[in-house]
DNA sequence: ATGTGCATGTAACTGGTTACATGATTCG
DNA sequence: CGAATCATGTAACCAGTTACATGCACAT
């Protein structure tokens, strides 16, 4: 699980300043997709980001409640995020890992986003082929089920990637050429 | 990540006796689906299973190589596996977690397998609804992409589950004329 | 000669969870 | 009257990875 909560949180702070509690709430709403880290990892991560000057913190006092500590990304933090985002996808990226990057797409240039999706497409296509081959050679019924399931998910993912890449491609073309095409 | 390698390994040993190295090779072939644990977790896990009398070990001597240590499941181990397998799915099971159980389907009764798939179906259906709703309320383009992606995967999974449940249902019906569950 | 496959293992580390503590406020 | 929401945090623990050590056989 090279998922590193660190950059996920940094990416959220890049979209807008927020507190640790806000981070939790937000990720909770996406928990099925990327899983929600516990407070026991969020707060220490924020402290670490602060110590490395990747974020700043401003305490907003409230009556009868602990102060909300609002974290904002710094220039150094934005640079670190940018560097991370522009690294190629690790060779065996999980769906969760890819989703994490997708959530941060707002921090990407459009070109980088499409690159990333193409990298992913290539990886999934390779795995799909491998799975299709494996299905025929496996005898155990459970393993077969698992492989078939994997095939199905892979092909759905490929379809989505192709469709979405197509849409983004069209949008970019419209901007570049400056023509509006009515559908 | 309540994925517990422990039961995955125990399940493999239930299918056939094998060595730690064999376990590794096998899981490596499925690494895209469930991820492959490292030797650094496999060997200690096997030792622990041995100490708890869930498996037995027989060393097969080889010339010029370390002996292969072949692990076999015990009655106690089989009982433990059975107990695990018959627990309901944890409320927020990841795709990986479900796949893991699917791989062990050989250790399930057919009835338990279909139950399990129905539990999964219900969970995914719920999440799908939530995602579809969320897509319309989210403004950030990256988050929207992630949610759409999630929707697509969820619907592919539902389709596969329904289709597979249908097939299994037919098989069971042939054996034991019963009712086909409506989806 | 260099690496890959076979085959075992250990120690240090990391990234996370679980469970706790604090304390006011509002809802059923 | 208890439970949930807001809001912070810490310490103990755990599962797993990384990097290492050993050592032979076989291919490039």
């Amino acid at each position: 699980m090279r998922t590193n909560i660190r950059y996920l949180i940094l990416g959220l702070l890049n979209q807008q300043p927020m507190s640790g509690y806000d981070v939790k709430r937000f990720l909770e709403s996406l928990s099925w997709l990327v899983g929600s880290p516990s407070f026991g990892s969020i707060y220490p991560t924020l402290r670490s980001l602060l110590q490395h000057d990747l974020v700043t913190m401003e305490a907003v006092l409230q009556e009868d409640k602990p102060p909300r500590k609002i974290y904002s990304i710094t220039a150094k933090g934005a640079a670190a995020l940018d560097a991370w985002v522009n690294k190629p996808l690790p060779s065996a990226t999980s769906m969760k890992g890819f989703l994490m990057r997708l959530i941060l797409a707002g921090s990407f240039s459009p070109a980088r986003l499409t690159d990333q999706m193409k990298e992913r497409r290539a990886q999934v296509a390779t795995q799909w082929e491998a799975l299709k081959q494996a299905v025929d050679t496996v005898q155990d019924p459970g393993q077969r089920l698992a492989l078939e399931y994997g095939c199905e998910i892979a092909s759905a993912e490929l379809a989505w990637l192709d469709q979405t890449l197509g849409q983004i491609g069209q949008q970019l073309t419209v901007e570049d050429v400056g023509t509006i095409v009515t559908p």
Side-chain angles (χ1 to χ4, degrees), chain A residues 22-84:
Chain A
D22 292 334
V23 167
K24 173 73 174 166
R25 250 191 324 196
F26 179 81
L27 292 179
E28 201 70 47
S29 75
L30 298 175
S31 65
W32 194 64
L33 298 179
V34 290
S36 182
S38 59
F39 285 122
S41 69
I42 290 176
Y43 287 124
T45 299
L46 283 170
R47 184 157 23 92
S48 155
L49 290 174
L50 193 59
Q51 279 163 357
H52 289 81
D53 297 317
L54 304 180
V55 300
T56 57
M57 185 267 284
E58 188 191 5
V60 178
L61 297 175
Q62 302 179 114
E63 289 196 357
D64 302 325
K65 283 183 190 172
R68 303 190 69 220
K69 298 187 172 179
I70 306 296
Y71 295 86
S72 311
I73 199 165
T74 62
K76 192 176 170 189
L81 179 61
D82 198 63
W84 182 75

Short mmCIF file of all heavy atoms in Angstrom, two decimals, chain A residues 22-84:
data_model
loop_
_atom_site.label_atom_id
_atom_site.label_comp_id
_atom_site.label_asym_id
_atom_site.label_seq_id
_atom_site.Cartn_x
_atom_site.Cartn_y
_atom_site.Cartn_z
N ASP A 22 -11.87 18.37 9.12
CA ASP A 22 -12.45 18.51 7.78
C ASP A 22 -11.89 17.44 6.84
O ASP A 22 -12.63 16.84 6.04
CB ASP A 22 -12.12 19.89 7.20
CG ASP A 22 -12.83 21.01 7.94
OD1 ASP A 22 -13.89 20.75 8.54
OD2 ASP A 22 -12.31 22.14 7.94
N VAL A 23 -10.58 17.22 6.93
CA VAL A 23 -9.94 16.20 6.11
C VAL A 23 -10.63 14.86 6.34
O VAL A 23 -11.00 14.16 5.40
CB VAL A 23 -8.43 16.08 6.45
CG1 VAL A 23 -7.83 14.82 5.84
CG2 VAL A 23 -7.68 17.31 5.99
N LYS A 24 -10.81 14.55 7.60
CA LYS A 24 -11.44 13.29 7.96
C LYS A 24 -12.84 13.18 7.36
O LYS A 24 -13.20 12.17 6.75
CB LYS A 24 -11.52 13.19 9.49
CG LYS A 24 -12.30 12.01 10.02
CD LYS A 24 -11.57 10.69 9.85
CE LYS A 24 -12.32 9.55 10.52
NZ LYS A 24 -11.81 8.24 10.09
N ARG A 25 -13.63 14.23 7.54
CA ARG A 25 -15.00 14.20 7.03
C ARG A 25 -15.03 14.00 5.53
O ARG A 25 -15.81 13.22 4.99
CB ARG A 25 -15.73 15.51 7.38
CG ARG A 25 -16.80 15.29 8.43
CD ARG A 25 -17.65 16.51 8.54
NE ARG A 25 -16.86 17.74 8.36
CZ ARG A 25 -17.27 18.94 8.70
NH1 ARG A 25 -18.44 19.09 9.26
NH2 ARG A 25 -16.51 19.99 8.50
N PHE A 26 -14.14 14.74 4.87
CA PHE A 26 -14.09 14.64 3.42
C PHE A 26 -13.75 13.22 2.97
O PHE A 26 -14.44 12.63 2.13
CB PHE A 26 -13.08 15.63 2.86
CG PHE A 26 -12.97 15.55 1.37
CD1 PHE A 26 -13.90 16.18 0.56
CD2 PHE A 26 -11.96 14.80 0.78
CE1 PHE A 26 -13.83 16.08 -0.81
CE2 PHE A 26 -11.88 14.70 -0.60
CZ PHE A 26 -12.81 15.34 -1.39
N LEU A 27 -12.69 12.68 3.55
CA LEU A 27 -12.26 11.34 3.14
C LEU A 27 -13.27 10.28 3.54
O LEU A 27 -13.44 9.27 2.85
CB LEU A 27 -10.88 11.02 3.72
CG LEU A 27 -9.76 11.87 3.11
CD1 LEU A 27 -8.43 11.53 3.75
CD2 LEU A 27 -9.69 11.68 1.59
N GLU A 28 -13.97 10.54 4.61
CA GLU A 28 -15.01 9.62 5.05
C GLU A 28 -16.06 9.46 3.94
O GLU A 28 -16.56 8.37 3.69
CB GLU A 28 -15.66 10.17 6.32
CG GLU A 28 -16.38 9.13 7.16
CD GLU A 28 -15.41 8.16 7.81
OE1 GLU A 28 -14.40 8.60 8.40
OE2 GLU A 28 -15.66 6.95 7.72
N SER A 29 -16.36 10.58 3.30
CA SER A 29 -17.38 10.54 2.25
C SER A 29 -16.91 9.75 1.03
O SER A 29 -17.71 9.31 0.21
CB SER A 29 -17.77 11.96 1.84
OG SER A 29 -16.75 12.53 1.03
N LEU A 30 -15.61 9.59 0.91
CA LEU A 30 -15.06 8.80 -0.20
C LEU A 30 -14.51 7.47 0.30
O LEU A 30 -13.74 6.80 -0.39
CB LEU A 30 -13.92 9.55 -0.87
CG LEU A 30 -14.24 10.89 -1.53
CD1 LEU A 30 -12.97 11.54 -2.04
CD2 LEU A 30 -15.22 10.70 -2.68
N SER A 31 -14.92 7.07 1.52
CA SER A 31 -14.23 5.95 2.16
C SER A 31 -14.31 4.66 1.35
O SER A 31 -13.39 3.86 1.36
CB SER A 31 -14.76 5.73 3.57
OG SER A 31 -16.11 5.33 3.51
N TRP A 32 -15.38 4.47 0.64
CA TRP A 32 -15.49 3.23 -0.13
C TRP A 32 -14.44 3.18 -1.24
O TRP A 32 -13.94 2.13 -1.59
CB TRP A 32 -16.89 3.08 -0.74
CG TRP A 32 -17.12 1.69 -1.24
CD1 TRP A 32 -17.17 0.55 -0.47
CD2 TRP A 32 -17.33 1.27 -2.57
NE1 TRP A 32 -17.39 -0.53 -1.28
CE2 TRP A 32 -17.50 -0.13 -2.57
CE3 TRP A 32 -17.39 1.94 -3.80
CZ2 TRP A 32 -17.74 -0.87 -3.72
CZ3 TRP A 32 -17.63 1.20 -4.95
CH2 TRP A 32 -17.79 -0.20 -4.91
N LEU A 33 -14.12 4.35 -1.76
CA LEU A 33 -13.17 4.40 -2.87
C LEU A 33 -11.72 4.32 -2.41
O LEU A 33 -10.95 3.54 -2.94
CB LEU A 33 -13.39 5.67 -3.70
CG LEU A 33 -14.76 5.79 -4.37
CD1 LEU A 33 -14.86 7.10 -5.13
CD2 LEU A 33 -15.01 4.61 -5.30
N VAL A 34 -11.35 5.17 -1.46
CA VAL A 34 -9.94 5.21 -1.07
C VAL A 34 -9.69 4.83 0.38
O VAL A 34 -8.54 4.71 0.78
CB VAL A 34 -9.32 6.60 -1.33
CG1 VAL A 34 -9.19 6.85 -2.81
CG2 VAL A 34 -10.14 7.69 -0.68
N GLY A 35 -10.76 4.62 1.12
CA GLY A 35 -10.59 4.30 2.53
C GLY A 35 -10.31 5.56 3.31
O GLY A 35 -9.66 6.47 2.80
N SER A 36 -10.75 5.61 4.53
CA SER A 36 -10.57 6.81 5.32
C SER A 36 -9.57 6.57 6.44
O SER A 36 -9.78 5.72 7.29
CB SER A 36 -11.90 7.24 5.91
OG SER A 36 -11.72 8.43 6.63
N PRO A 37 -8.46 7.30 6.44
CA PRO A 37 -7.49 7.15 7.52
C PRO A 37 -8.09 7.64 8.83
O PRO A 37 -8.99 8.48 8.83
CB PRO A 37 -6.35 8.06 7.09
CG PRO A 37 -6.93 9.03 6.13
CD PRO A 37 -8.06 8.33 5.47
N SER A 38 -7.61 7.11 9.92
CA SER A 38 -8.13 7.48 11.24
C SER A 38 -7.47 8.77 11.71
O SER A 38 -6.43 9.19 11.19
CB SER A 38 -7.85 6.37 12.23
OG SER A 38 -6.46 6.15 12.30
N PHE A 39 -8.07 9.39 12.72
CA PHE A 39 -7.49 10.59 13.31
C PHE A 39 -6.06 10.31 13.78
O PHE A 39 -5.21 11.19 13.70
CB PHE A 39 -8.34 11.06 14.48
CG PHE A 39 -9.60 11.73 14.06
CD1 PHE A 39 -10.84 11.26 14.47
CD2 PHE A 39 -9.56 12.85 13.24
CE1 PHE A 39 -12.01 11.89 14.08
CE2 PHE A 39 -10.73 13.49 12.85
CZ PHE A 39 -11.95 13.00 13.26
N GLY A 40 -5.87 9.09 14.26
CA GLY A 40 -4.55 8.72 14.76
C GLY A 40 -3.47 8.78 13.70
O GLY A 40 -2.28 8.76 14.03
N SER A 41 -3.84 8.85 12.43
CA SER A 41 -2.82 9.07 11.41
C SER A 41 -2.93 10.46 10.80
O SER A 41 -1.93 11.02 10.35
CB SER A 41 -2.91 8.00 10.32
OG SER A 41 -4.07 8.14 9.55
N ILE A 42 -4.12 11.04 10.80
CA ILE A 42 -4.29 12.36 10.19
C ILE A 42 -3.55 13.44 10.98
O ILE A 42 -2.75 14.19 10.43
CB ILE A 42 -5.79 12.73 10.09
CG1 ILE A 42 -6.47 11.85 9.04
CG2 ILE A 42 -5.95 14.20 9.72
CD1 ILE A 42 -7.96 12.06 8.94
N TYR A 43 -3.80 13.48 12.29
CA TYR A 43 -3.19 14.56 13.08
C TYR A 43 -1.67 14.51 13.07
O TYR A 43 -1.02 15.53 12.85
CB TYR A 43 -3.77 14.57 14.49
CG TYR A 43 -5.20 15.08 14.54
CD1 TYR A 43 -6.23 14.32 15.09
CD2 TYR A 43 -5.53 16.33 14.01
CE1 TYR A 43 -7.54 14.80 15.13
CE2 TYR A 43 -6.84 16.80 14.05
CZ TYR A 43 -7.83 16.04 14.61
OH TYR A 43 -9.12 16.50 14.65
N PRO A 44 -1.08 13.35 13.31
CA PRO A 44 0.39 13.30 13.24
C PRO A 44 0.92 13.68 11.85
O PRO A 44 1.97 14.33 11.75
CB PRO A 44 0.71 11.84 13.56
CG PRO A 44 -0.44 11.39 14.40
CD PRO A 44 -1.63 12.11 13.86
N THR A 45 0.21 13.29 10.81
CA THR A 45 0.65 13.65 9.45
C THR A 45 0.64 15.16 9.27
O THR A 45 1.59 15.74 8.72
CB THR A 45 -0.28 13.00 8.40
OG1 THR A 45 -0.22 11.59 8.55
CG2 THR A 45 0.16 13.38 7.00
N LEU A 46 -0.41 15.80 9.75
CA LEU A 46 -0.48 17.26 9.63
C LEU A 46 0.66 17.92 10.40
O LEU A 46 1.28 18.87 9.90
CB LEU A 46 -1.84 17.76 10.18
CG LEU A 46 -3.02 17.54 9.25
CD1 LEU A 46 -4.34 17.84 9.96
CD2 LEU A 46 -2.89 18.40 8.00
N ARG A 47 0.95 17.40 11.57
CA ARG A 47 2.05 17.97 12.34
C ARG A 47 3.37 17.83 11.58
O ARG A 47 4.17 18.76 11.52
CB ARG A 47 2.15 17.28 13.71
CG ARG A 47 3.21 17.92 14.57
CD ARG A 47 3.02 17.71 16.09
NE ARG A 47 2.22 16.57 16.47
CZ ARG A 47 2.70 15.36 16.73
NH1 ARG A 47 3.99 15.11 16.61
NH2 ARG A 47 1.89 14.40 17.11
N SER A 48 3.54 16.66 10.96
CA SER A 48 4.77 16.43 10.21
C SER A 48 4.86 17.38 9.00
O SER A 48 5.92 17.92 8.70
CB SER A 48 4.82 14.97 9.77
OG SER A 48 5.61 14.83 8.62
N LEU A 49 3.74 17.57 8.32
CA LEU A 49 3.73 18.48 7.18
C LEU A 49 4.11 19.89 7.64
O LEU A 49 4.86 20.61 6.97
CB LEU A 49 2.34 18.51 6.51
CG LEU A 49 1.91 17.25 5.76
CD1 LEU A 49 0.46 17.37 5.28
CD2 LEU A 49 2.82 17.00 4.57
N LEU A 50 3.58 20.26 8.80
CA LEU A 50 3.87 21.57 9.36
C LEU A 50 5.36 21.73 9.66
O LEU A 50 5.98 22.74 9.30
CB LEU A 50 3.05 21.75 10.65
CG LEU A 50 2.95 23.15 11.24
CD1 LEU A 50 2.34 24.11 10.24
CD2 LEU A 50 2.13 23.12 12.53
N GLN A 51 5.92 20.70 10.29
CA GLN A 51 7.34 20.75 10.65
C GLN A 51 8.24 20.83 9.42
O GLN A 51 9.34 21.38 9.49
CB GLN A 51 7.72 19.53 11.50
CG GLN A 51 7.32 19.69 12.97
CD GLN A 51 7.31 18.38 13.73
OE1 GLN A 51 7.54 17.32 13.14
NE2 GLN A 51 7.01 18.44 15.02
N HIS A 52 7.77 20.28 8.31
CA HIS A 52 8.57 20.34 7.09
C HIS A 52 8.25 21.59 6.25
O HIS A 52 8.66 21.67 5.09
CB HIS A 52 8.35 19.08 6.26
CG HIS A 52 8.98 17.86 6.85
ND1 HIS A 52 8.39 17.14 7.87
CD2 HIS A 52 10.16 17.24 6.59
CE1 HIS A 52 9.17 16.11 8.19
NE2 HIS A 52 10.25 16.16 7.44
N ASP A 53 7.45 22.48 6.82
CA ASP A 53 7.10 23.74 6.14
C ASP A 53 6.35 23.52 4.83
O ASP A 53 6.44 24.35 3.92
CB ASP A 53 8.35 24.59 5.88
CG ASP A 53 9.01 25.02 7.18
OD1 ASP A 53 8.28 25.43 8.10
OD2 ASP A 53 10.26 24.94 7.26
N LEU A 54 5.64 22.42 4.75
CA LEU A 54 4.83 22.19 3.54
C LEU A 54 3.45 22.81 3.71
O LEU A 54 2.74 23.03 2.73
CB LEU A 54 4.71 20.69 3.26
CG LEU A 54 6.04 19.96 3.10
CD1 LEU A 54 5.81 18.47 2.82
CD2 LEU A 54 6.89 20.58 1.99
N VAL A 55 3.07 23.08 4.96
CA VAL A 55 1.81 23.76 5.24
C VAL A 55 2.04 24.77 6.37
O VAL A 55 3.02 24.69 7.10
CB VAL A 55 0.71 22.76 5.69
CG1 VAL A 55 0.43 21.73 4.61
CG2 VAL A 55 1.08 22.07 6.99
N THR A 56 1.10 25.72 6.48
CA THR A 56 1.08 26.60 7.64
C THR A 56 -0.20 26.34 8.41
O THR A 56 -1.14 25.75 7.87
CB THR A 56 1.09 28.08 7.24
OG1 THR A 56 -0.04 28.32 6.38
CG2 THR A 56 2.36 28.44 6.50
N MET A 57 -0.23 26.76 9.65
CA MET A 57 -1.41 26.52 10.46
C MET A 57 -1.86 27.81 11.12
O MET A 57 -1.05 28.60 11.59
CB MET A 57 -1.09 25.47 11.51
CG MET A 57 -2.28 25.04 12.34
SD MET A 57 -2.44 26.00 13.86
CE MET A 57 -1.14 25.23 14.83
N GLU A 58 -3.17 28.01 11.12
CA GLU A 58 -3.73 29.15 11.83
C GLU A 58 -4.83 28.64 12.74
O GLU A 58 -5.78 27.99 12.28
CB GLU A 58 -4.29 30.16 10.84
CG GLU A 58 -4.71 31.46 11.50
CD GLU A 58 -5.52 32.33 10.53
OE1 GLU A 58 -5.82 31.86 9.41
OE2 GLU A 58 -5.87 33.45 10.91
N ALA A 59 -4.70 28.93 14.01
CA ALA A 59 -5.70 28.47 14.97
C ALA A 59 -6.86 29.46 15.02
O ALA A 59 -6.65 30.65 15.23
CB ALA A 59 -5.07 28.31 16.35
N VAL A 60 -8.05 28.96 14.80
CA VAL A 60 -9.24 29.80 14.88
C VAL A 60 -9.94 29.50 16.19
O VAL A 60 -10.50 28.42 16.37
CB VAL A 60 -10.20 29.52 13.70
CG1 VAL A 60 -11.45 30.36 13.83
CG2 VAL A 60 -9.50 29.79 12.38
N LEU A 61 -9.91 30.46 17.09
CA LEU A 61 -10.47 30.23 18.41
C LEU A 61 -11.98 30.14 18.35
O LEU A 61 -12.64 30.84 17.58
CB LEU A 61 -10.04 31.36 19.36
CG LEU A 61 -8.53 31.44 19.60
CD1 LEU A 61 -8.18 32.65 20.46
CD2 LEU A 61 -8.03 30.15 20.24
N GLN A 62 -12.51 29.26 19.18
CA GLN A 62 -13.96 29.14 19.31
C GLN A 62 -14.28 29.10 20.79
O GLN A 62 -13.50 28.59 21.59
CB GLN A 62 -14.45 27.83 18.68
CG GLN A 62 -14.11 27.66 17.22
CD GLN A 62 -14.62 26.34 16.71
OE1 GLN A 62 -15.49 26.27 15.88
NE2 GLN A 62 -14.08 25.25 17.26
N GLU A 63 -15.43 29.58 21.13
CA GLU A 63 -15.82 29.50 22.53
C GLU A 63 -16.27 28.10 22.87
O GLU A 63 -17.03 27.49 22.13
CB GLU A 63 -16.95 30.50 22.82
CG GLU A 63 -16.47 31.95 22.79
CD GLU A 63 -17.49 32.87 23.45
OE1 GLU A 63 -18.57 32.38 23.85
OE2 GLU A 63 -17.20 34.09 23.54
N ASP A 64 -15.78 27.60 23.99
CA ASP A 64 -16.22 26.31 24.52
C ASP A 64 -15.89 25.12 23.64
O ASP A 64 -16.46 24.05 23.79
CB ASP A 64 -17.75 26.33 24.79
CG ASP A 64 -18.13 27.44 25.75
OD1 ASP A 64 -17.32 27.71 26.65
OD2 ASP A 64 -19.20 28.02 25.59
N LYS A 65 -15.02 25.32 22.66
CA LYS A 65 -14.55 24.20 21.86
C LYS A 65 -13.07 24.36 21.66
O LYS A 65 -12.55 25.47 21.73
CB LYS A 65 -15.24 24.18 20.49
CG LYS A 65 -16.65 23.67 20.49
CD LYS A 65 -17.19 23.63 19.07
CE LYS A 65 -18.68 23.36 19.08
NZ LYS A 65 -19.27 23.49 17.75
N PRO A 66 -12.39 23.26 21.38
CA PRO A 66 -10.98 23.42 21.03
C PRO A 66 -10.91 24.26 19.76
O PRO A 66 -11.81 24.19 18.92
CB PRO A 66 -10.49 21.99 20.80
CG PRO A 66 -11.65 21.09 20.94
CD PRO A 66 -12.82 21.87 21.40
N PRO A 67 -9.83 25.05 19.61
CA PRO A 67 -9.72 25.88 18.41
C PRO A 67 -9.59 25.02 17.16
O PRO A 67 -8.97 23.96 17.20
CB PRO A 67 -8.43 26.67 18.66
CG PRO A 67 -7.65 25.85 19.63
CD PRO A 67 -8.66 25.15 20.48
N ARG A 68 -10.21 25.47 16.08
CA ARG A 68 -10.01 24.78 14.80
C ARG A 68 -8.64 25.20 14.28
O ARG A 68 -8.31 26.38 14.25
CB ARG A 68 -11.08 25.19 13.79
CG ARG A 68 -12.49 24.94 14.25
CD ARG A 68 -13.46 25.14 13.10
NE ARG A 68 -13.29 24.07 12.12
CZ ARG A 68 -13.33 24.24 10.80
NH1 ARG A 68 -13.51 25.42 10.30
NH2 ARG A 68 -13.17 23.22 10.01
N LYS A 69 -7.87 24.21 13.89
CA LYS A 69 -6.57 24.53 13.34
C LYS A 69 -6.62 24.36 11.83
O LYS A 69 -6.69 23.24 11.32
CB LYS A 69 -5.51 23.60 13.95
CG LYS A 69 -5.39 23.75 15.44
CD LYS A 69 -4.21 22.95 15.97
CE LYS A 69 -3.97 23.28 17.43
NZ LYS A 69 -2.85 22.48 17.97
N ILE A 70 -6.61 25.49 11.18
CA ILE A 70 -6.76 25.49 9.73
C ILE A 70 -5.40 25.44 9.06
O ILE A 70 -4.56 26.31 9.29
CB ILE A 70 -7.50 26.75 9.26
CG1 ILE A 70 -8.83 26.90 10.01
CG2 ILE A 70 -7.73 26.70 7.76
CD1 ILE A 70 -9.81 25.82 9.75
N TYR A 71 -5.20 24.42 8.25
CA TYR A 71 -3.92 24.24 7.57
C TYR A 71 -4.02 24.72 6.13
O TYR A 71 -5.00 24.45 5.43
CB TYR A 71 -3.51 22.78 7.60
CG TYR A 71 -3.23 22.26 8.99
CD1 TYR A 71 -4.25 21.78 9.79
CD2 TYR A 71 -1.94 22.29 9.51
CE1 TYR A 71 -4.00 21.32 11.07
CE2 TYR A 71 -1.67 21.82 10.79
CZ TYR A 71 -2.72 21.34 11.57
OH TYR A 71 -2.46 20.89 12.83
N SER A 72 -2.99 25.45 5.69
CA SER A 72 -2.93 25.92 4.31
C SER A 72 -1.61 25.48 3.69
O SER A 72 -0.58 25.44 4.38
CB SER A 72 -3.01 27.45 4.26
OG SER A 72 -4.09 27.91 5.05
N ILE A 73 -1.64 25.17 2.43
CA ILE A 73 -0.43 24.71 1.76
C ILE A 73 0.50 25.90 1.51
O ILE A 73 0.05 27.02 1.30
CB ILE A 73 -0.79 23.99 0.44
CG1 ILE A 73 0.38 23.11 -0.04
CG2 ILE A 73 -1.21 24.99 -0.63
CD1 ILE A 73 -0.01 22.12 -1.11
N THR A 74 1.81 25.65 1.58
CA THR A 74 2.80 26.69 1.29
C THR A 74 3.34 26.50 -0.13
O THR A 74 3.02 25.51 -0.79
CB THR A 74 3.99 26.59 2.26
OG1 THR A 74 4.62 25.31 2.07
CG2 THR A 74 3.55 26.72 3.69
N ALA A 75 4.15 27.45 -0.55
CA ALA A 75 4.78 27.32 -1.87
C ALA A 75 5.63 26.06 -1.91
O ALA A 75 5.60 25.29 -2.88
CB ALA A 75 5.64 28.55 -2.15
N LYS A 76 6.36 25.83 -0.83
CA LYS A 76 7.19 24.63 -0.75
C LYS A 76 6.33 23.36 -0.84
O LYS A 76 6.69 22.39 -1.51
CB LYS A 76 7.97 24.64 0.57
CG LYS A 76 9.07 23.62 0.66
CD LYS A 76 9.85 23.77 1.98
CE LYS A 76 10.80 22.59 2.19
NZ LYS A 76 11.41 22.60 3.54
N GLY A 77 5.18 23.41 -0.16
CA GLY A 77 4.27 22.28 -0.18
C GLY A 77 3.72 22.04 -1.58
O GLY A 77 3.64 20.90 -2.05
N ALA A 78 3.36 23.14 -2.25
CA ALA A 78 2.82 23.03 -3.60
C ALA A 78 3.87 22.44 -4.54
O ALA A 78 3.55 21.62 -5.41
CB ALA A 78 2.36 24.40 -4.09
N ALA A 79 5.11 22.84 -4.32
CA ALA A 79 6.20 22.32 -5.16
C ALA A 79 6.37 20.81 -4.93
O ALA A 79 6.53 20.04 -5.88
CB ALA A 79 7.50 23.05 -4.84
N ALA A 80 6.31 20.42 -3.66
CA ALA A 80 6.45 19.00 -3.33
C ALA A 80 5.32 18.18 -3.96
O ALA A 80 5.54 17.10 -4.51
CB ALA A 80 6.46 18.82 -1.82
N LEU A 81 4.11 18.73 -3.86
CA LEU A 81 2.95 18.05 -4.44
C LEU A 81 3.12 17.92 -5.94
O LEU A 81 2.86 16.86 -6.53
CB LEU A 81 1.68 18.85 -4.12
CG LEU A 81 0.37 18.28 -4.66
CD1 LEU A 81 0.10 16.89 -4.09
CD2 LEU A 81 -0.79 19.22 -4.35
N ASP A 82 3.58 19.01 -6.56
CA ASP A 82 3.76 19.02 -8.00
C ASP A 82 4.78 17.96 -8.41
O ASP A 82 4.57 17.21 -9.39
CB ASP A 82 4.25 20.40 -8.43
CG ASP A 82 4.05 20.61 -9.91
OD1 ASP A 82 2.88 20.61 -10.34
OD2 ASP A 82 5.06 20.73 -10.63
N ALA A 83 5.86 17.87 -7.65
CA ALA A 83 6.89 16.88 -7.96
C ALA A 83 6.31 15.47 -7.87
O ALA A 83 6.55 14.62 -8.73
CB ALA A 83 8.06 17.02 -6.99
N TRP A 84 5.51 15.25 -6.86
CA TRP A 84 4.93 13.92 -6.65
C TRP A 84 3.97 13.56 -7.79
O TRP A 84 3.99 12.46 -8.31
CB TRP A 84 4.19 13.88 -5.32
CG TRP A 84 3.61 12.55 -4.99
CD1 TRP A 84 4.29 11.45 -4.57
CD2 TRP A 84 2.24 12.17 -5.09
NE1 TRP A 84 3.42 10.41 -4.39
CE2 TRP A 84 2.17 10.82 -4.69
CE3 TRP A 84 1.06 12.84 -5.46
CZ2 TRP A 84 0.96 10.11 -4.66
CZ3 TRP A 84 -0.13 12.14 -5.41
CH2 TRP A 84 -0.18 10.80 -5.03
#
